Amino acid sequence: QPAASATSRAPATEIGRPDGPILEHIDAQLTTENYSDAIAAFRQRDHPRAISLFEELARDLPENAHVLQYLGLSHFHNGDFASAKRTLADAREIRPDSFELLDHYVTACKKDGDDDSAFAALKDFVDRRPEELEARLELARIARATGDEDVAIEQTEYLATTRSTDPEFVYEHGVSLKNAGKLDEAKVVLRSSIELDPSSAAAHHALGVTELISGNARGAVASLEKAVAAAPDNGDYQFSLAQTYEELDRIPESLAAYEAYVRNARPDDTRVPIVRKQLELAKKALAERDKERT
């Protein structure tokens, strides 16, 4: 089943570009021209030049976390995620309590396919600063992605208990329970999330998927229809609804939902070619059946 997606506190997929001054503690020995050129290249997305200029600044100020941070960001936007990760790790050694640096580092790790390093950095940060709820949230998400369900449940349970009126924290706890196979508990928590935020398409989808995988297709329909109504362009929601209609032998509705899924699927969704082929076969079969009936 497709995993329920996040709502608003989604982890960064793109590291932002600065709109204002970024090197707060620039050394007086560096000329204004060097600083201005580095910033200008970064903002103009001239990443190779930005890298060259920030490397020059870093040689003069090897202990300046801001210089290393934006050298890492330049590598990131240039597509060199391994270099970005290494440089941001150096910046984090200087400022280990910066959540901003942690967030950049984790994003670079994930882009580099190094979820283990991202997990370790988040775990260490949360152990040292347990009050940082956003770090706990990101740790829970990457724990789910790497299959560490115990950590995901531990972190989201803390979030949902600490902020019991926050629908997203409650939702995240429900998703962690669902992924761990604790379906009955997940349903209770997800319903609580929906009570807090009835407009959440993600929560309705998660509840519907939980009902579906627990064998209750009839109970899944209403939640999945609400999810699709709230976010009709979400291919995963359409796919889940199509599966449910199919399970209930509502074939015409199922085919329509599968077609909507194909139109709205993510570019990297490997299910699309399979579903498209099955749709063609199903339509031919239906046409033959109608012809025989006639």
Side-chain angles (χ1 to χ4, degrees):
Q1 303 296 330
S5 59
T7 50
S8 61
R9 292 190 184 94
T13 55
E14 286 295 333
I15 293 178
R17 306 172 195 279
D19 294 322
I22 54 176
L23 303 185
E24 297 175 3
H25 307 296
I26 197 73
D27 193 289
Q29 294 178 342
L30 292 177
T31 66
T32 302
E33 184 178 357
N34 288 347
Y35 168 74
S36 298
D37 287 349
I39 298 301
F42 188 83
R43 287 177 175 160
Q44 292 164 10
R45 306 191 181 192
D46 187 349
H47 304 128
R49 177 168 168 74
I51 290 169
S52 176
L53 293 169
F54 279 118
E55 283 179 341
E56 183 180 342
L57 293 173
R59 283 192 292 270
D60 289 335
L61 288 176
E63 296 301 316
N64 190 300
H66 294 281
V67 172
L68 293 174
Q69 177 178 5
Y70 284 95
L71 174 57
L73 298 183
S74 299
H75 281 303
F76 181 91
H77 288 298
N78 200 43
D80 187 350
F81 304 125
S83 294
K85 181 178 67 175
R86 288 193 298 269
T87 307
L88 290 167
D90 292 340
R92 290 198 66 240
E93 288 185 6
I94 301 169
R95 294 176 57 204
D97 289 334
S98 168
F99 178 76
E100 180 183 15
L101 277 174
L102 172 69
D103 191 41
H104 291 338
Y105 174 73
V106 167
T107 303
C109 286
K110 292 194 291 188
K111 285 285 191 178
D112 195 41
D114 187 3
D115 285 347
D116 289 340
S117 293
F119 180 92
L122 285 161
K123 186 70 166 62
D124 175 71
F125 191 90
V126 168
D127 287 344
R128 288 185 295 104
R129 301 191 62 179
E131 75 282 0
E132 289 285 354
L133 301 186
E134 296 300 326
R136 285 182 176 272
L137 176 59
E138 184 63 14
L139 175 58
R141 286 172 172 168
I142 202 166
R144 287 205 302 263
T146 57
D148 196 332
E149 308 297 353
D150 290 339
V151 171
I153 290 175
E154 176 189 3
Q155 297 303 320
T156 54
E157 184 176 18
Y158 182 93
L159 294 172
T161 302
T162 304
R163 297 269 186 88
S164 59
T165 59
D166 187 316
E168 187 169 5
F169 286 163
V170 177
Y171 156 81
E172 292 282 347
H173 185 40
V175 173
S176 295
L177 290 167
K178 173 185 76 70
N179 285 14
K182 298 183 178 183
L183 304 182
D184 290 337
E185 295 176 62
K187 292 176 190 178
V188 173
V189 174
L190 289 169
R191 290 189 186 106
S192 297
S193 173
I194 291 170
E195 288 176 4
L196 292 168
D197 182 10
S199 67
S200 173
H204 283 295
H205 177 250
L207 178 59
V209 169
T210 306
E211 294 283 9
L212 182 60
I213 60 180
S214 65
N216 184 17
R218 291 187 182 279
V221 169
S223 294
L224 292 174
E225 286 178 338
K226 289 177 182 178
V228 168
D233 294 336
N234 188 304
D236 286 337
Y237 296 177
Q238 296 281 4
F239 186 87
S240 299
L241 182 58
Q243 286 183 308
T244 305
Y245 284 148
E246 185 177 3
E247 189 73 19
L248 295 172
D249 202 30
R250 293 166 61 173
I251 302 305
E253 292 165 287
S254 175
L255 294 179
Y258 276 126
E259 288 177 335
Y261 153 71
V262 169
R263 289 194 303 271
N264 295 286
R266 290 170 282 107
D268 61 344
D269 193 332
T270 57
R271 299 170 299 185
V272 172
I274 300 171
V275 172
R276 186 178 285 119
K277 183 177 180 180
Q278 292 299 322
L279 274 172
E280 293 175 0
L281 293 174
K283 288 178 180 178
K284 289 180 180 178
L286 284 174
E288 287 294 329
R289 187 184 68 178
D290 291 341
K291 183 178 180 181
E292 290 174 0
R293 286 178 176 175
T294 301

PDB file of all heavy atoms in Angstrom, residues 131-166:
ATOM      1  N   GLU A 131      14.181  18.706  23.552  1.00  0.00           N
ATOM      2  CA  GLU A 131      13.063  19.639  23.421  1.00  0.00           C
ATOM      3  C   GLU A 131      12.835  20.078  21.977  1.00  0.00           C
ATOM      4  O   GLU A 131      11.814  20.716  21.689  1.00  0.00           O
ATOM      5  CB  GLU A 131      13.324  20.884  24.281  1.00  0.00           C
ATOM      6  CG  GLU A 131      14.352  21.863  23.727  1.00  0.00           C
ATOM      7  CD  GLU A 131      15.803  21.420  23.929  1.00  0.00           C
ATOM      8  OE1 GLU A 131      16.008  20.330  24.505  1.00  0.00           O
ATOM      9  OE2 GLU A 131      16.713  22.160  23.516  1.00  0.00           O
ATOM     10  N   GLU A 132      13.740  19.726  21.069  1.00  0.00           N
ATOM     11  CA  GLU A 132      13.611  20.136  19.672  1.00  0.00           C
ATOM     12  C   GLU A 132      12.623  19.216  18.949  1.00  0.00           C
ATOM     13  O   GLU A 132      12.984  18.148  18.435  1.00  0.00           O
ATOM     14  CB  GLU A 132      14.978  20.104  18.974  1.00  0.00           C
ATOM     15  CG  GLU A 132      15.919  21.198  19.436  1.00  0.00           C
ATOM     16  CD  GLU A 132      15.545  22.551  18.864  1.00  0.00           C
ATOM     17  OE1 GLU A 132      14.628  22.625  18.012  1.00  0.00           O
ATOM     18  OE2 GLU A 132      16.182  23.547  19.272  1.00  0.00           O
ATOM     19  N   LEU A 133      11.382  19.627  18.902  1.00  0.00           N
ATOM     20  CA  LEU A 133      10.322  18.771  18.360  1.00  0.00           C
ATOM     21  C   LEU A 133      10.461  18.550  16.857  1.00  0.00           C
ATOM     22  O   LEU A 133      10.143  17.475  16.352  1.00  0.00           O
ATOM     23  CB  LEU A 133       8.953  19.372  18.693  1.00  0.00           C
ATOM     24  CG  LEU A 133       8.645  19.563  20.182  1.00  0.00           C
ATOM     25  CD1 LEU A 133       7.197  20.015  20.356  1.00  0.00           C
ATOM     26  CD2 LEU A 133       8.912  18.293  20.987  1.00  0.00           C
ATOM     27  N   GLU A 134      10.919  19.579  16.130  1.00  0.00           N
ATOM     28  CA  GLU A 134      11.062  19.418  14.681  1.00  0.00           C
ATOM     29  C   GLU A 134      12.133  18.379  14.354  1.00  0.00           C
ATOM     30  O   GLU A 134      12.009  17.637  13.375  1.00  0.00           O
ATOM     31  CB  GLU A 134      11.400  20.756  14.030  1.00  0.00           C
ATOM     32  CG  GLU A 134      10.306  21.808  14.153  1.00  0.00           C
ATOM     33  CD  GLU A 134       9.000  21.384  13.502  1.00  0.00           C
ATOM     34  OE1 GLU A 134       9.045  20.689  12.471  1.00  0.00           O
ATOM     35  OE2 GLU A 134       7.928  21.744  14.024  1.00  0.00           O
ATOM     36  N   ALA A 135      13.183  18.316  15.170  1.00  0.00           N
ATOM     37  CA  ALA A 135      14.220  17.300  14.971  1.00  0.00           C
ATOM     38  C   ALA A 135      13.649  15.909  15.248  1.00  0.00           C
ATOM     39  O   ALA A 135      13.961  14.940  14.544  1.00  0.00           O
ATOM     40  CB  ALA A 135      15.423  17.577  15.871  1.00  0.00           C
ATOM     41  N   ARG A 136      12.824  15.817  16.269  1.00  0.00           N
ATOM     42  CA  ARG A 136      12.174  14.529  16.567  1.00  0.00           C
ATOM     43  C   ARG A 136      11.271  14.098  15.403  1.00  0.00           C
ATOM     44  O   ARG A 136      11.218  12.911  15.058  1.00  0.00           O
ATOM     45  CB  ARG A 136      11.341  14.643  17.847  1.00  0.00           C
ATOM     46  CG  ARG A 136      12.157  14.657  19.142  1.00  0.00           C
ATOM     47  CD  ARG A 136      11.212  14.735  20.343  1.00  0.00           C
ATOM     48  NE  ARG A 136      11.887  14.673  21.611  1.00  0.00           N
ATOM     49  CZ  ARG A 136      12.176  13.540  22.265  1.00  0.00           C
ATOM     50  NH1 ARG A 136      11.831  12.378  21.729  1.00  0.00           N
ATOM     51  NH2 ARG A 136      12.774  13.574  23.432  1.00  0.00           N
ATOM     52  N   LEU A 137      10.563  15.060  14.826  1.00  0.00           N
ATOM     53  CA  LEU A 137       9.668  14.745  13.714  1.00  0.00           C
ATOM     54  C   LEU A 137      10.459  14.205  12.530  1.00  0.00           C
ATOM     55  O   LEU A 137      10.082  13.196  11.924  1.00  0.00           O
ATOM     56  CB  LEU A 137       8.891  15.996  13.307  1.00  0.00           C
ATOM     57  CG  LEU A 137       7.968  15.871  12.100  1.00  0.00           C
ATOM     58  CD1 LEU A 137       6.913  14.796  12.317  1.00  0.00           C
ATOM     59  CD2 LEU A 137       7.299  17.216  11.804  1.00  0.00           C
ATOM     60  N   GLU A 138      11.559  14.877  12.190  1.00  0.00           N
ATOM     61  CA  GLU A 138      12.376  14.415  11.065  1.00  0.00           C
ATOM     62  C   GLU A 138      13.027  13.070  11.373  1.00  0.00           C
ATOM     63  O   GLU A 138      13.145  12.212  10.492  1.00  0.00           O
ATOM     64  CB  GLU A 138      13.438  15.461  10.723  1.00  0.00           C
ATOM     65  CG  GLU A 138      14.279  15.122   9.507  1.00  0.00           C
ATOM     66  CD  GLU A 138      13.473  15.027   8.220  1.00  0.00           C
ATOM     67  OE1 GLU A 138      12.305  15.473   8.192  1.00  0.00           O
ATOM     68  OE2 GLU A 138      14.007  14.493   7.239  1.00  0.00           O
ATOM     69  N   LEU A 139      13.435  12.852  12.626  1.00  0.00           N
ATOM     70  CA  LEU A 139      13.990  11.559  13.021  1.00  0.00           C
ATOM     71  C   LEU A 139      12.949  10.457  12.851  1.00  0.00           C
ATOM     72  O   LEU A 139      13.252   9.367  12.351  1.00  0.00           O
ATOM     73  CB  LEU A 139      14.462  11.614  14.473  1.00  0.00           C
ATOM     74  CG  LEU A 139      14.956  10.297  15.076  1.00  0.00           C
ATOM     75  CD1 LEU A 139      16.120   9.718  14.271  1.00  0.00           C
ATOM     76  CD2 LEU A 139      15.366  10.487  16.542  1.00  0.00           C
ATOM     77  N   ALA A 140      11.712  10.737  13.233  1.00  0.00           N
ATOM     78  CA  ALA A 140      10.642   9.747  13.076  1.00  0.00           C
ATOM     79  C   ALA A 140      10.426   9.404  11.614  1.00  0.00           C
ATOM     80  O   ALA A 140      10.265   8.233  11.255  1.00  0.00           O
ATOM     81  CB  ALA A 140       9.350  10.266  13.698  1.00  0.00           C
ATOM     82  N   ARG A 141      10.441  10.411  10.758  1.00  0.00           N
ATOM     83  CA  ARG A 141      10.196  10.170   9.334  1.00  0.00           C
ATOM     84  C   ARG A 141      11.315   9.338   8.705  1.00  0.00           C
ATOM     85  O   ARG A 141      11.047   8.423   7.916  1.00  0.00           O
ATOM     86  CB  ARG A 141      10.041  11.504   8.615  1.00  0.00           C
ATOM     87  CG  ARG A 141       8.714  12.179   8.894  1.00  0.00           C
ATOM     88  CD  ARG A 141       8.665  13.583   8.329  1.00  0.00           C
ATOM     89  NE  ARG A 141       7.324  14.153   8.448  1.00  0.00           N
ATOM     90  CZ  ARG A 141       7.041  15.423   8.255  1.00  0.00           C
ATOM     91  NH1 ARG A 141       8.005  16.279   7.947  1.00  0.00           N
ATOM     92  NH2 ARG A 141       5.811  15.864   8.368  1.00  0.00           N
ATOM     93  N   ILE A 142      12.552   9.666   9.048  1.00  0.00           N
ATOM     94  CA  ILE A 142      13.646   8.901   8.445  1.00  0.00           C
ATOM     95  C   ILE A 142      13.718   7.510   9.065  1.00  0.00           C
ATOM     96  O   ILE A 142      14.129   6.548   8.410  1.00  0.00           O
ATOM     97  CB  ILE A 142      14.982   9.654   8.554  1.00  0.00           C
ATOM     98  CG1 ILE A 142      15.954   9.131   7.492  1.00  0.00           C
ATOM     99  CG2 ILE A 142      15.603   9.536   9.939  1.00  0.00           C
ATOM    100  CD1 ILE A 142      17.163  10.017   7.277  1.00  0.00           C
ATOM    101  N   ALA A 143      13.293   7.378  10.315  1.00  0.00           N
ATOM    102  CA  ALA A 143      13.223   6.047  10.926  1.00  0.00           C
ATOM    103  C   ALA A 143      12.202   5.181  10.199  1.00  0.00           C
ATOM    104  O   ALA A 143      12.437   3.998   9.940  1.00  0.00           O
ATOM    105  CB  ALA A 143      12.866   6.174  12.409  1.00  0.00           C
ATOM    106  N   ARG A 144      11.055   5.773   9.842  1.00  0.00           N
ATOM    107  CA  ARG A 144      10.065   5.023   9.062  1.00  0.00           C
ATOM    108  C   ARG A 144      10.638   4.636   7.707  1.00  0.00           C
ATOM    109  O   ARG A 144      10.428   3.519   7.225  1.00  0.00           O
ATOM    110  CB  ARG A 144       8.791   5.848   8.875  1.00  0.00           C
ATOM    111  CG  ARG A 144       7.945   5.989  10.111  1.00  0.00           C
ATOM    112  CD  ARG A 144       6.484   6.250   9.764  1.00  0.00           C
ATOM    113  NE  ARG A 144       6.296   7.430   8.958  1.00  0.00           N
ATOM    114  CZ  ARG A 144       5.965   8.621   9.431  1.00  0.00           C
ATOM    115  NH1 ARG A 144       5.806   8.794  10.738  1.00  0.00           N
ATOM    116  NH2 ARG A 144       5.777   9.649   8.635  1.00  0.00           N
ATOM    117  N   ALA A 145      11.354   5.570   7.079  1.00  0.00           N
ATOM    118  CA  ALA A 145      11.907   5.301   5.746  1.00  0.00           C
ATOM    119  C   ALA A 145      12.947   4.185   5.783  1.00  0.00           C
ATOM    120  O   ALA A 145      13.098   3.444   4.807  1.00  0.00           O
ATOM    121  CB  ALA A 145      12.525   6.573   5.174  1.00  0.00           C
ATOM    122  N   THR A 146      13.666   4.061   6.896  1.00  0.00           N
ATOM    123  CA  THR A 146      14.710   3.031   7.005  1.00  0.00           C
ATOM    124  C   THR A 146      14.211   1.770   7.698  1.00  0.00           C
ATOM    125  O   THR A 146      14.982   0.836   7.894  1.00  0.00           O
ATOM    126  CB  THR A 146      15.926   3.591   7.764  1.00  0.00           C
ATOM    127  OG1 THR A 146      15.519   4.068   9.059  1.00  0.00           O
ATOM    128  CG2 THR A 146      16.574   4.729   6.995  1.00  0.00           C
ATOM    129  N   GLY A 147      12.931   1.748   8.064  1.00  0.00           N
ATOM    130  CA  GLY A 147      12.356   0.540   8.647  1.00  0.00           C
ATOM    131  C   GLY A 147      12.550   0.385  10.138  1.00  0.00           C
ATOM    132  O   GLY A 147      12.290  -0.686  10.690  1.00  0.00           O
ATOM    133  N   ASP A 148      12.996   1.439  10.827  1.00  0.00           N
ATOM    134  CA  ASP A 148      13.174   1.369  12.278  1.00  0.00           C
ATOM    135  C   ASP A 148      11.868   1.829  12.935  1.00  0.00           C
ATOM    136  O   ASP A 148      11.740   2.964  13.393  1.00  0.00           O
ATOM    137  CB  ASP A 148      14.347   2.246  12.718  1.00  0.00           C
ATOM    138  CG  ASP A 148      14.815   1.929  14.129  1.00  0.00           C
ATOM    139  OD1 ASP A 148      13.977   1.474  14.921  1.00  0.00           O
ATOM    140  OD2 ASP A 148      16.010   2.140  14.432  1.00  0.00           O
ATOM    141  N   GLU A 149      10.913   0.931  12.985  1.00  0.00           N
ATOM    142  CA  GLU A 149       9.575   1.289  13.447  1.00  0.00           C
ATOM    143  C   GLU A 149       9.551   1.658  14.928  1.00  0.00           C
ATOM    144  O   GLU A 149       8.760   2.508  15.356  1.00  0.00           O
ATOM    145  CB  GLU A 149       8.601   0.133  13.185  1.00  0.00           C
ATOM    146  CG  GLU A 149       8.595  -0.382  11.753  1.00  0.00           C
ATOM    147  CD  GLU A 149       8.132   0.662  10.749  1.00  0.00           C
ATOM    148  OE1 GLU A 149       7.688   1.743  11.169  1.00  0.00           O
ATOM    149  OE2 GLU A 149       8.221   0.398   9.539  1.00  0.00           O
ATOM    150  N   ASP A 150      10.421   1.023  15.732  1.00  0.00           N
ATOM    151  CA  ASP A 150      10.429   1.318  17.167  1.00  0.00           C
ATOM    152  C   ASP A 150      10.801   2.772  17.428  1.00  0.00           C
ATOM    153  O   ASP A 150      10.178   3.451  18.252  1.00  0.00           O
ATOM    154  CB  ASP A 150      11.402   0.387  17.896  1.00  0.00           C
ATOM    155  CG  ASP A 150      10.908  -1.053  17.942  1.00  0.00           C
ATOM    156  OD1 ASP A 150       9.686  -1.258  17.777  1.00  0.00           O
ATOM    157  OD2 ASP A 150      11.731  -1.958  18.133  1.00  0.00           O
ATOM    158  N   VAL A 151      11.835   3.252  16.736  1.00  0.00           N
ATOM    159  CA  VAL A 151      12.250   4.649  16.909  1.00  0.00           C
ATOM    160  C   VAL A 151      11.156   5.585  16.401  1.00  0.00           C
ATOM    161  O   VAL A 151      10.860   6.608  17.026  1.00  0.00           O
ATOM    162  CB  VAL A 151      13.586   4.924  16.184  1.00  0.00           C
ATOM    163  CG1 VAL A 151      13.900   6.421  16.166  1.00  0.00           C
ATOM    164  CG2 VAL A 151      14.721   4.164  16.853  1.00  0.00           C
ATOM    165  N   ALA A 152      10.547   5.242  15.274  1.00  0.00           N
ATOM    166  CA  ALA A 152       9.480   6.081  14.720  1.00  0.00           C
ATOM    167  C   ALA A 152       8.326   6.207  15.707  1.00  0.00           C
ATOM    168  O   ALA A 152       7.804   7.309  15.937  1.00  0.00           O
ATOM    169  CB  ALA A 152       8.999   5.505  13.397  1.00  0.00           C
ATOM    170  N   ILE A 153       7.922   5.091  16.304  1.00  0.00           N
ATOM    171  CA  ILE A 153       6.819   5.127  17.265  1.00  0.00           C
ATOM    172  C   ILE A 153       7.219   5.899  18.517  1.00  0.00           C
ATOM    173  O   ILE A 153       6.448   6.714  19.043  1.00  0.00           O
ATOM    174  CB  ILE A 153       6.377   3.694  17.623  1.00  0.00           C
ATOM    175  CG1 ILE A 153       5.672   3.051  16.422  1.00  0.00           C
ATOM    176  CG2 ILE A 153       5.444   3.700  18.828  1.00  0.00           C
ATOM    177  CD1 ILE A 153       5.307   1.600  16.631  1.00  0.00           C
ATOM    178  N   GLU A 154       8.437   5.663  18.993  1.00  0.00           N
ATOM    179  CA  GLU A 154       8.912   6.360  20.194  1.00  0.00           C
ATOM    180  C   GLU A 154       8.879   7.873  20.011  1.00  0.00           C
ATOM    181  O   GLU A 154       8.392   8.613  20.876  1.00  0.00           O
ATOM    182  CB  GLU A 154      10.331   5.910  20.514  1.00  0.00           C
ATOM    183  CG  GLU A 154      10.960   6.647  21.695  1.00  0.00           C
ATOM    184  CD  GLU A 154      12.441   6.336  21.859  1.00  0.00           C
ATOM    185  OE1 GLU A 154      13.004   5.602  21.023  1.00  0.00           O
ATOM    186  OE2 GLU A 154      13.039   6.851  22.823  1.00  0.00           O
ATOM    187  N   GLN A 155       9.383   8.334  18.862  1.00  0.00           N
ATOM    188  CA  GLN A 155       9.460   9.774  18.626  1.00  0.00           C
ATOM    189  C   GLN A 155       8.074  10.385  18.403  1.00  0.00           C
ATOM    190  O   GLN A 155       7.757  11.444  18.944  1.00  0.00           O
ATOM    191  CB  GLN A 155      10.367  10.070  17.430  1.00  0.00           C
ATOM    192  CG  GLN A 155      11.812   9.655  17.633  1.00  0.00           C
ATOM    193  CD  GLN A 155      12.443  10.306  18.863  1.00  0.00           C
ATOM    194  OE1 GLN A 155      12.208  11.481  19.149  1.00  0.00           O
ATOM    195  NE2 GLN A 155      13.231   9.538  19.584  1.00  0.00           N
ATOM    196  N   THR A 156       7.248   9.737  17.608  1.00  0.00           N
ATOM    197  CA  THR A 156       5.930  10.319  17.327  1.00  0.00           C
ATOM    198  C   THR A 156       5.001  10.228  18.538  1.00  0.00           C
ATOM    199  O   THR A 156       4.135  11.091  18.715  1.00  0.00           O
ATOM    200  CB  THR A 156       5.271   9.647  16.107  1.00  0.00           C
ATOM    201  OG1 THR A 156       5.234   8.221  16.305  1.00  0.00           O
ATOM    202  CG2 THR A 156       6.052   9.952  14.838  1.00  0.00           C
ATOM    203  N   GLU A 157       5.184   9.211  19.365  1.00  0.00           N
ATOM    204  CA  GLU A 157       4.393   9.137  20.593  1.00  0.00           C
ATOM    205  C   GLU A 157       4.741  10.314  21.511  1.00  0.00           C
ATOM    206  O   GLU A 157       3.856  10.922  22.124  1.00  0.00           O
ATOM    207  CB  GLU A 157       4.633   7.814  21.304  1.00  0.00           C
ATOM    208  CG  GLU A 157       3.771   7.629  22.542  1.00  0.00           C
ATOM    209  CD  GLU A 157       3.946   6.268  23.183  1.00  0.00           C
ATOM    210  OE1 GLU A 157       4.953   5.594  22.899  1.00  0.00           O
ATOM    211  OE2 GLU A 157       3.069   5.879  23.976  1.00  0.00           O
ATOM    212  N   TYR A 158       6.031  10.636  21.581  1.00  0.00           N
ATOM    213  CA  TYR A 158       6.459  11.800  22.364  1.00  0.00           C
ATOM    214  C   TYR A 158       5.824  13.078  21.812  1.00  0.00           C
ATOM    215  O   TYR A 158       5.311  13.908  22.560  1.00  0.00           O
ATOM    216  CB  TYR A 158       7.985  11.911  22.339  1.00  0.00           C
ATOM    217  CG  TYR A 158       8.533  13.063  23.156  1.00  0.00           C
ATOM    218  CD1 TYR A 158       8.917  12.879  24.478  1.00  0.00           C
ATOM    219  CD2 TYR A 158       8.647  14.339  22.606  1.00  0.00           C
ATOM    220  CE1 TYR A 158       9.408  13.941  25.231  1.00  0.00           C
ATOM    221  CE2 TYR A 158       9.130  15.406  23.352  1.00  0.00           C
ATOM    222  CZ  TYR A 158       9.517  15.197  24.664  1.00  0.00           C
ATOM    223  OH  TYR A 158       9.991  16.252  25.402  1.00  0.00           O
ATOM    224  N   LEU A 159       5.858  13.225  20.488  1.00  0.00           N
ATOM    225  CA  LEU A 159       5.289  14.421  19.858  1.00  0.00           C
ATOM    226  C   LEU A 159       3.792  14.521  20.119  1.00  0.00           C
ATOM    227  O   LEU A 159       3.278  15.585  20.470  1.00  0.00           O
ATOM    228  CB  LEU A 159       5.549  14.396  18.357  1.00  0.00           C
ATOM    229  CG  LEU A 159       7.008  14.511  17.904  1.00  0.00           C
ATOM    230  CD1 LEU A 159       7.106  14.273  16.402  1.00  0.00           C
ATOM    231  CD2 LEU A 159       7.590  15.865  18.273  1.00  0.00           C
ATOM    232  N   ALA A 160       3.091  13.406  19.916  1.00  0.00           N
ATOM    233  CA  ALA A 160       1.632  13.413  20.072  1.00  0.00           C
ATOM    234  C   ALA A 160       1.233  13.619  21.525  1.00  0.00           C
ATOM    235  O   ALA A 160       0.159  14.184  21.803  1.00  0.00           O
ATOM    236  CB  ALA A 160       1.051  12.101  19.552  1.00  0.00           C
ATOM    237  N   THR A 161       2.067  13.186  22.453  1.00  0.00           N
ATOM    238  CA  THR A 161       1.773  13.386  23.877  1.00  0.00           C
ATOM    239  C   THR A 161       2.091  14.811  24.299  1.00  0.00           C
ATOM    240  O   THR A 161       1.325  15.440  25.039  1.00  0.00           O
ATOM    241  CB  THR A 161       2.589  12.400  24.730  1.00  0.00           C
ATOM    242  OG1 THR A 161       2.298  11.058  24.333  1.00  0.00           O
ATOM    243  CG2 THR A 161       2.264  12.565  26.208  1.00  0.00           C
ATOM    244  N   THR A 162       3.225  15.332  23.797  1.00  0.00           N
ATOM    245  CA  THR A 162       3.636  16.690  24.161  1.00  0.00           C
ATOM    246  C   THR A 162       2.703  17.738  23.575  1.00  0.00           C
ATOM    247  O   THR A 162       2.393  18.743  24.215  1.00  0.00           O
ATOM    248  CB  THR A 162       5.078  16.948  23.676  1.00  0.00           C
ATOM    249  OG1 THR A 162       5.940  15.947  24.218  1.00  0.00           O
ATOM    250  CG2 THR A 162       5.567  18.326  24.096  1.00  0.00           C
ATOM    251  N   ARG A 163       2.276  17.499  22.347  1.00  0.00           N
ATOM    252  CA  ARG A 163       1.364  18.438  21.657  1.00  0.00           C
ATOM    253  C   ARG A 163       0.113  17.678  21.218  1.00  0.00           C
ATOM    254  O   ARG A 163      -0.084  17.403  20.043  1.00  0.00           O
ATOM    255  CB  ARG A 163       2.061  19.037  20.442  1.00  0.00           C
ATOM    256  CG  ARG A 163       3.284  19.881  20.770  1.00  0.00           C
ATOM    257  CD  ARG A 163       2.928  21.349  20.978  1.00  0.00           C
ATOM    258  NE  ARG A 163       4.123  22.164  21.145  1.00  0.00           N
ATOM    259  CZ  ARG A 163       4.807  22.721  20.159  1.00  0.00           C
ATOM    260  NH1 ARG A 163       4.387  22.550  18.920  1.00  0.00           N
ATOM    261  NH2 ARG A 163       5.869  23.448  20.402  1.00  0.00           N
ATOM    262  N   SER A 164      -0.713  17.339  22.180  1.00  0.00           N
ATOM    263  CA  SER A 164      -1.862  16.473  21.897  1.00  0.00           C
ATOM    264  C   SER A 164      -2.919  17.159  21.034  1.00  0.00           C
ATOM    265  O   SER A 164      -3.797  16.487  20.488  1.00  0.00           O
ATOM    266  CB  SER A 164      -2.504  16.004  23.204  1.00  0.00           C
ATOM    267  OG  SER A 164      -2.929  17.120  23.976  1.00  0.00           O
ATOM    268  N   THR A 165      -2.850  18.486  20.916  1.00  0.00           N
ATOM    269  CA  THR A 165      -3.823  19.195  20.075  1.00  0.00           C
ATOM    270  C   THR A 165      -3.248  19.551  18.712  1.00  0.00           C
ATOM    271  O   THR A 165      -3.910  20.253  17.933  1.00  0.00           O
ATOM    272  CB  THR A 165      -4.297  20.483  20.776  1.00  0.00           C
ATOM    273  OG1 THR A 165      -3.161  21.335  21.043  1.00  0.00           O
ATOM    274  CG2 THR A 165      -5.009  20.153  22.082  1.00  0.00           C
ATOM    275  N   ASP A 166      -2.052  19.099  18.424  1.00  0.00           N
ATOM    276  CA  ASP A 166      -1.434  19.351  17.119  1.00  0.00           C
ATOM    277  C   ASP A 166      -1.828  18.211  16.188  1.00  0.00           C
ATOM    278  O   ASP A 166      -1.353  17.079  16.354  1.00  0.00           O
ATOM    279  CB  ASP A 166       0.085  19.420  17.260  1.00  0.00           C
ATOM    280  CG  ASP A 166       0.768  19.857  15.964  1.00  0.00           C
ATOM    281  OD1 ASP A 166       0.389  19.346  14.892  1.00  0.00           O
ATOM    282  OD2 ASP A 166       1.708  20.679  16.025  1.00  0.00           O
TER     283      ASP A 166
END
